[in-house]
Amino acid sequence: MRHRQESLAHSAAVARLGSLAPLTGQEIQALQLAELGSQRVSPSREIVVEGAPVRDVSIILSGWACRVRHFMDGRRQILGFLLPGDLIGVCRQNEPVAVTTVFALTEVVTCPAPPVVPGENGLAEAYAMSAALEEAYLFRQIARLGRLNAYERIVDWLLETRDRLRLAGLEYDGSFPMPLTQEVLADTLGLTSVHVNRTLQTLRRDRRIEWRGGMVRLVDPEGLAALIDYRPVLVTSAARS
Amino acid sequence: MRHRQESLAHSAAVARLGSLAPLTGQEIQALQLAELGSQRVSPSREIVVEGAPVRDVSIILSGWACRVRHFMDGRRQILGFLLPGDLIGVCRQNEPVAVTTVFALTEVVTCPAPPVVPGENGLAEAYAMSAALEEAYLFRQIARLGRLNAYERIVDWLLETRDRLRLAGLEYDGSFPMPLTQEVLADTLGLTSVHVNRTLQTLRRDRRIEWRGGMVRLVDPEGLAALIDYRPVLVTSAARS
DNA sequence: CGACAAGTTGATGTTACTCAAAAGTGGTGG
DNA sequence: CCACCACTTTTGAGTAACATCAACTTGTCG
């Protein structure tokens, strides 16, 4: 298990899906094969457009994307992020239509998600877990916006994002990549960029976070979690690698 | 079609699911049969507890329930509502665990959801549409909390709730039932009950809504929708009854 | 009628927004 | 290497929206 994770550390998608459910060798091969058909999307480009028919399901291999809702007067709200190993385009309808626009925040590389094969149910389970997690993140986002203040929102979001990136093997020595501008973070957390800036300064002054050069380090994650009553998303036994 | 809706107006569940996808006579019968096995839940009782294993899928026949998240300091956030015709306990995981607590706000009557039968795909489609709608309501709730002010939040929520109740045939002569206290609405919209109260007064003074005796009437729904850039949730051709 | 929950009101406090400008950052081309 | 540009971050001052606290009123139901 440990050996497999290390040998595949280059692929966040395999790392994440393999953490969500045990994958067979065939399934890992299928993923690696699919990754050869990768596609590149430039920053600020739309990956999926609201209302457009959904093509196939794809996996994010690298980069950050987000679901976004625009208002007529220029306001916008980022609904959630899509990080490496996440699936795009999972759809429960018969007539699949994208419910939200998905937008590349950085350069994003995707590949088609290998189809589920009867007999090999690791991938199917991983896909199902992925969908369940995505829903859980939506619930968390609602609670965050509805009842936390700016300081708590930022801490809560950082803890959640750290957990998500760790699941994909993207934490390095206690730090994780953070390619967002404060403006984007503001549109995520329902704040203004000015207020995000001031709150981040408070967090730095309190020696709670370090944010430099596109990387973030949480100085005392457990302390932060206790501070704001952060509870990690439920994971089944399969996810405790 | 019209005839069928009228003759079944007594069941919000059949009305709603039948609006989401065309159902065969057998499927409608299966629903009516399932409704005989109904269960009653008292107000303020939990229907599903966070972390507990999910039993089977059930349908709400009448009453209002909500998903709720509690914080240690007493704050709470209502994540979304479950209205007549909605499904509880749909779960994509292998080890099904409830992600959120579901709480009866009024007396709620549920029944087991009839299983999908191969060959008859109306129900399956309706269930899928229902899940897709539920997700769409989560996205809307995020945008509402993140970027709308108190006045807009209330209007937006009222318009959405009206649409949902209409789908289940629960609008009567331009009015729809509203069994919530202002306190509950506050916990839904991320406000205090005092502020909800003042904002509702403004809405009444503006002659935009009437709210008496557990019923709400939107005086000019189209005008309200234009006012706050309300866009109804996407529905496929099947839902335009 | 009495009790309890829900709705209403007023005074005051705080969080976060707005507007505007300055300072820092990184990339590009001359 | 420097000048320039666009973008991001930072800072300050004033303001608006919403929260808090506490009392009072209304409605409901046994």
Side-chain angles (χ1 to χ4, degrees):
Chain A
M1 192 63 163
R2 173 145 304 285
H3 168 263
R4 191 165 85 203
Q5 285 192 342
E6 279 165 10
S7 68
L8 294 170
H10 59 283
S11 167
V14 175
R16 177 168 187 268
L17 295 174
S19 299
L20 295 180
L23 302 182
T24 65
Q26 293 214 344
E27 289 173 321
I28 294 176
Q29 275 189 4
L31 275 171
Q32 289 170 330
L33 205 64
E35 292 187 10
L36 299 178
S38 69
Q39 281 204 324
R40 202 167 285 275
V41 181
S42 306
S44 304
R45 281 261 141 65
E46 283 164 351
I47 302 177
V48 173
V49 178
E50 181 175 341
V54 176
R55 289 183 299 261
D56 0 84
V57 179
S58 48
I59 305 181
I60 297 193
L61 296 177
S62 67
W64 288 38
C66 67
R67 292 182 195 283
V68 67
R69 164 97 205 271
H70 286 275
F71 295 86
M72 56 175 179
D73 61 357
R75 285 181 285 186
R76 69 169 185 178
Q77 176 64 41
I78 289 173
L79 306 167
F81 292 98
L82 296 155
L83 307 181
D86 285 2
L87 300 168
I88 312 184
V90 182
C91 201
R92 284 173 287 283
Q93 287 152 282
N94 261 7
E95 285 178 69
V97 166
V99 192
T100 60
T101 296
V102 176
F103 182 85
L105 291 163
T106 66
E107 175 158 297
V108 169
V109 178
T110 66
C111 74
V116 170
V117 186
E120 313 255 328
N121 53 10
L123 262 186
E125 210 179 300
Y127 291 166
M129 274 294 294
S130 185
L133 281 179
E134 199 179 330
E135 189 184 33
Y137 296 136
L138 293 182
F139 287 136
R140 294 190 54 87
Q141 172 78 335
I142 290 171
R144 190 152 50 217
L145 292 174
R147 283 297 176 225
L148 301 188
N149 62 28
Y151 193 96
E152 295 168 324
R153 279 184 217 183
I154 292 182
V155 170
D156 185 71
W157 183 83
L158 284 172
L159 285 166
E160 179 181 299
T161 303
R162 171 174 171 265
D163 282 347
R164 290 182 63 174
L165 291 171
R166 286 207 298 176
L167 201 61
L170 294 173
E171 189 184 49
Y172 313 101
D173 196 24
S175 294
F176 53 90
M178 180 52 55
L180 306 186
T181 65
Q182 295 178 3
E183 176 102 41
V184 169
L185 194 49
D187 284 334
T188 303
L189 299 179
L191 303 167
T192 59
S193 61
V194 172
H195 198 58
V196 165
N197 181 280
R198 293 196 224 269
T199 309
L200 283 174
Q201 288 179 55
T202 308
L203 278 162
R204 283 192 280 245
R205 224 176 297 122
D206 294 351
R207 304 218 126 280
R208 298 213 173 272
I209 69 167
E210 294 167 15
W211 179 331
R212 285 190 295 273
M215 299 290 285
V216 165
R217 171 193 307 281
L218 305 184
V219 176
D220 172 19
E222 290 76 19
L224 279 177
L227 184 71
I228 62 156
D229 186 27
Y230 174 81
R231 280 165 279 176
V233 170
L234 284 178
V235 283
T236 69
S237 54
R240 291 187 240 109
S241 70
Chain B
M1 190 65 163
R2 172 144 306 282
H3 168 261
R4 190 166 86 203
Q5 283 192 344
E6 279 164 12
S7 68
L8 293 170
H10 58 284
S11 167
V14 175
R16 177 168 187 268
L17 295 174
S19 298
L20 295 181
L23 302 182
T24 66
Q26 293 216 344
E27 288 173 322
I28 293 176
Q29 275 190 4
L31 275 170
Q32 289 170 331
L33 204 65
E35 291 187 10
L36 299 177
S38 70
Q39 281 203 325
R40 204 167 284 275
V41 181
S42 305
S44 304
R45 280 262 142 65
E46 283 165 351
I47 302 178
V48 173
V49 177
E50 180 175 342
V54 176
R55 290 182 298 259
D56 358 88
V57 179
S58 47
I59 305 182
I60 296 192
L61 296 179
S62 68
W64 288 39
C66 68
R67 293 181 194 281
V68 67
R69 163 94 206 272
H70 285 275
F71 295 86
M72 55 174 180
D73 61 358
R75 284 180 286 186
R76 69 170 185 177
Q77 175 64 41
I78 289 173
L79 306 167
F81 291 98
L82 296 154
L83 307 182
D86 285 3
L87 300 168
I88 312 184
V90 182
C91 201
R92 283 173 290 282
Q93 286 152 285
N94 260 6
E95 286 178 71
V97 166
V99 192
T100 61
T101 296
V102 175
F103 182 85
L105 290 163
T106 66
E107 174 157 296
V108 169
V109 178
T110 65
C111 75
V116 170
V117 185
E120 312 257 327
N121 53 11
L123 262 185
E125 210 180 300
Y127 291 168
M129 274 296 294
S130 185
L133 280 179
E134 199 180 328
E135 189 183 34
Y137 296 136
L138 293 182
F139 287 136
R140 294 190 53 89
Q141 170 79 333
I142 290 171
R144 189 152 49 217
L145 292 173
R147 284 296 176 228
L148 301 190
N149 62 30
Y151 193 96
E152 294 167 324
R153 279 183 218 183
I154 291 182
V155 171
D156 185 71
W157 182 84
L158 284 172
L159 285 166
E160 179 181 298
T161 303
R162 170 175 173 264
D163 281 347
R164 290 182 63 175
L165 290 172
R166 287 207 296 176
L167 201 60
L170 294 173
E171 191 184 47
Y172 313 101
D173 196 25
S175 294
F176 53 89
M178 180 53 56
L180 306 186
T181 65
Q182 294 179 2
E183 176 102 40
V184 169
L185 194 50
D187 284 336
T188 303
L189 299 180
L191 303 166
T192 59
S193 61
V194 172
H195 199 58
V196 165
N197 181 281
R198 293 196 224 269
T199 310
L200 283 175
Q201 289 179 55
T202 308
L203 277 163
R204 282 191 280 245
R205 223 175 299 124
D206 294 353
R207 302 218 130 279
R208 298 213 173 272
I209 69 168
E210 293 166 16
W211 179 333
R212 288 188 292 273
M215 298 289 286
V216 165
R217 172 192 307 280
L218 305 185
V219 176
D220 173 18
E222 290 75 20
L224 280 177
L227 185 71
I228 63 156
D229 186 26
Y230 175 82
R231 280 166 279 176
V233 169
L234 284 178
V235 283
T236 68
S237 54
R240 290 186 242 107
S241 70

PDB file of all heavy atoms in Angstrom, chain A residues 180-193:
ATOM      1  N   LEU A 180      -4.390  30.815  -5.763  1.00  0.00           N
ATOM      2  CA  LEU A 180      -5.497  31.766  -5.881  1.00  0.00           C
ATOM      3  C   LEU A 180      -5.080  33.182  -5.517  1.00  0.00           C
ATOM      4  O   LEU A 180      -4.233  33.386  -4.650  1.00  0.00           O
ATOM      5  CB  LEU A 180      -6.644  31.358  -4.955  1.00  0.00           C
ATOM      6  CG  LEU A 180      -7.190  29.948  -5.086  1.00  0.00           C
ATOM      7  CD1 LEU A 180      -8.404  29.785  -4.189  1.00  0.00           C
ATOM      8  CD2 LEU A 180      -7.489  29.605  -6.512  1.00  0.00           C
ATOM      9  N   THR A 181      -5.712  34.142  -6.152  1.00  0.00           N
ATOM     10  CA  THR A 181      -5.564  35.529  -5.715  1.00  0.00           C
ATOM     11  C   THR A 181      -6.537  35.778  -4.568  1.00  0.00           C
ATOM     12  O   THR A 181      -7.496  35.026  -4.370  1.00  0.00           O
ATOM     13  CB  THR A 181      -5.886  36.514  -6.848  1.00  0.00           C
ATOM     14  OG1 THR A 181      -7.276  36.379  -7.171  1.00  0.00           O
ATOM     15  CG2 THR A 181      -5.054  36.236  -8.078  1.00  0.00           C
ATOM     16  N   GLN A 182      -6.307  36.826  -3.832  1.00  0.00           N
ATOM     17  CA  GLN A 182      -7.190  37.165  -2.718  1.00  0.00           C
ATOM     18  C   GLN A 182      -8.586  37.526  -3.238  1.00  0.00           C
ATOM     19  O   GLN A 182      -9.582  37.328  -2.560  1.00  0.00           O
ATOM     20  CB  GLN A 182      -6.587  38.313  -1.911  1.00  0.00           C
ATOM     21  CG  GLN A 182      -5.288  37.904  -1.234  1.00  0.00           C
ATOM     22  CD  GLN A 182      -4.624  39.026  -0.456  1.00  0.00           C
ATOM     23  OE1 GLN A 182      -5.159  40.131  -0.371  1.00  0.00           O
ATOM     24  NE2 GLN A 182      -3.456  38.746   0.098  1.00  0.00           N
ATOM     25  N   GLU A 183      -8.616  38.035  -4.444  1.00  0.00           N
ATOM     26  CA  GLU A 183      -9.883  38.344  -5.095  1.00  0.00           C
ATOM     27  C   GLU A 183     -10.731  37.082  -5.292  1.00  0.00           C
ATOM     28  O   GLU A 183     -11.927  37.063  -4.999  1.00  0.00           O
ATOM     29  CB  GLU A 183      -9.586  38.971  -6.462  1.00  0.00           C
ATOM     30  CG  GLU A 183     -10.797  39.264  -7.297  1.00  0.00           C
ATOM     31  CD  GLU A 183     -11.156  40.724  -7.254  1.00  0.00           C
ATOM     32  OE1 GLU A 183     -10.226  41.554  -7.304  1.00  0.00           O
ATOM     33  OE2 GLU A 183     -12.350  41.046  -7.144  1.00  0.00           O
ATOM     34  N   VAL A 184     -10.090  36.031  -5.783  1.00  0.00           N
ATOM     35  CA  VAL A 184     -10.801  34.766  -5.992  1.00  0.00           C
ATOM     36  C   VAL A 184     -11.264  34.197  -4.654  1.00  0.00           C
ATOM     37  O   VAL A 184     -12.388  33.713  -4.521  1.00  0.00           O
ATOM     38  CB  VAL A 184      -9.901  33.756  -6.738  1.00  0.00           C
ATOM     39  CG1 VAL A 184     -10.524  32.373  -6.728  1.00  0.00           C
ATOM     40  CG2 VAL A 184      -9.671  34.220  -8.167  1.00  0.00           C
ATOM     41  N   LEU A 185     -10.396  34.287  -3.667  1.00  0.00           N
ATOM     42  CA  LEU A 185     -10.761  33.787  -2.348  1.00  0.00           C
ATOM     43  C   LEU A 185     -11.959  34.570  -1.805  1.00  0.00           C
ATOM     44  O   LEU A 185     -12.867  34.001  -1.191  1.00  0.00           O
ATOM     45  CB  LEU A 185      -9.561  33.903  -1.405  1.00  0.00           C
ATOM     46  CG  LEU A 185      -9.650  33.137  -0.099  1.00  0.00           C
ATOM     47  CD1 LEU A 185     -10.073  31.696  -0.321  1.00  0.00           C
ATOM     48  CD2 LEU A 185      -8.317  33.193   0.633  1.00  0.00           C
ATOM     49  N   ALA A 186     -11.966  35.864  -2.073  1.00  0.00           N
ATOM     50  CA  ALA A 186     -13.088  36.697  -1.635  1.00  0.00           C
ATOM     51  C   ALA A 186     -14.386  36.230  -2.292  1.00  0.00           C
ATOM     52  O   ALA A 186     -15.417  36.102  -1.624  1.00  0.00           O
ATOM     53  CB  ALA A 186     -12.819  38.161  -1.973  1.00  0.00           C
ATOM     54  N   ASP A 187     -14.324  35.940  -3.576  1.00  0.00           N
ATOM     55  CA  ASP A 187     -15.527  35.486  -4.278  1.00  0.00           C
ATOM     56  C   ASP A 187     -15.945  34.090  -3.839  1.00  0.00           C
ATOM     57  O   ASP A 187     -17.067  33.666  -4.061  1.00  0.00           O
ATOM     58  CB  ASP A 187     -15.297  35.514  -5.795  1.00  0.00           C
ATOM     59  CG  ASP A 187     -15.364  36.921  -6.354  1.00  0.00           C
ATOM     60  OD1 ASP A 187     -16.033  37.770  -5.740  1.00  0.00           O
ATOM     61  OD2 ASP A 187     -14.743  37.189  -7.397  1.00  0.00           O
ATOM     62  N   THR A 188     -15.034  33.374  -3.246  1.00  0.00           N
ATOM     63  CA  THR A 188     -15.373  32.058  -2.702  1.00  0.00           C
ATOM     64  C   THR A 188     -16.066  32.196  -1.355  1.00  0.00           C
ATOM     65  O   THR A 188     -17.047  31.506  -1.069  1.00  0.00           O
ATOM     66  CB  THR A 188     -14.098  31.222  -2.505  1.00  0.00           C
ATOM     67  OG1 THR A 188     -13.424  31.117  -3.744  1.00  0.00           O
ATOM     68  CG2 THR A 188     -14.440  29.842  -1.957  1.00  0.00           C
ATOM     69  N   LEU A 189     -15.543  33.100  -0.539  1.00  0.00           N
ATOM     70  CA  LEU A 189     -15.980  33.170   0.857  1.00  0.00           C
ATOM     71  C   LEU A 189     -17.031  34.246   1.096  1.00  0.00           C
ATOM     72  O   LEU A 189     -17.379  34.541   2.242  1.00  0.00           O
ATOM     73  CB  LEU A 189     -14.765  33.400   1.762  1.00  0.00           C
ATOM     74  CG  LEU A 189     -13.714  32.287   1.704  1.00  0.00           C
ATOM     75  CD1 LEU A 189     -12.533  32.596   2.606  1.00  0.00           C
ATOM     76  CD2 LEU A 189     -14.330  30.936   2.085  1.00  0.00           C
ATOM     77  N   GLY A 190     -17.514  34.854   0.020  1.00  0.00           N
ATOM     78  CA  GLY A 190     -18.567  35.853   0.186  1.00  0.00           C
ATOM     79  C   GLY A 190     -18.079  37.115   0.865  1.00  0.00           C
ATOM     80  O   GLY A 190     -18.811  37.743   1.631  1.00  0.00           O
ATOM     81  N   LEU A 191     -16.840  37.506   0.591  1.00  0.00           N
ATOM     82  CA  LEU A 191     -16.254  38.707   1.199  1.00  0.00           C
ATOM     83  C   LEU A 191     -15.720  39.603   0.089  1.00  0.00           C
ATOM     84  O   LEU A 191     -15.801  39.262  -1.084  1.00  0.00           O
ATOM     85  CB  LEU A 191     -15.106  38.312   2.128  1.00  0.00           C
ATOM     86  CG  LEU A 191     -15.445  37.324   3.254  1.00  0.00           C
ATOM     87  CD1 LEU A 191     -14.180  36.768   3.885  1.00  0.00           C
ATOM     88  CD2 LEU A 191     -16.305  38.018   4.310  1.00  0.00           C
ATOM     89  N   THR A 192     -15.154  40.752   0.474  1.00  0.00           N
ATOM     90  CA  THR A 192     -14.441  41.573  -0.497  1.00  0.00           C
ATOM     91  C   THR A 192     -12.959  41.264  -0.392  1.00  0.00           C
ATOM     92  O   THR A 192     -12.482  40.800   0.647  1.00  0.00           O
ATOM     93  CB  THR A 192     -14.646  43.070  -0.214  1.00  0.00           C
ATOM     94  OG1 THR A 192     -14.173  43.357   1.104  1.00  0.00           O
ATOM     95  CG2 THR A 192     -16.107  43.455  -0.332  1.00  0.00           C
ATOM     96  N   SER A 193     -12.234  41.550  -1.463  1.00  0.00           N
ATOM     97  CA  SER A 193     -10.802  41.231  -1.440  1.00  0.00           C
ATOM     98  C   SER A 193     -10.095  42.076  -0.390  1.00  0.00           C
ATOM     99  O   SER A 193      -9.125  41.622   0.228  1.00  0.00           O
ATOM    100  CB  SER A 193     -10.193  41.462  -2.817  1.00  0.00           C
ATOM    101  OG  SER A 193     -10.329  42.813  -3.196  1.00  0.00           O
TER     102      SER A 193
END
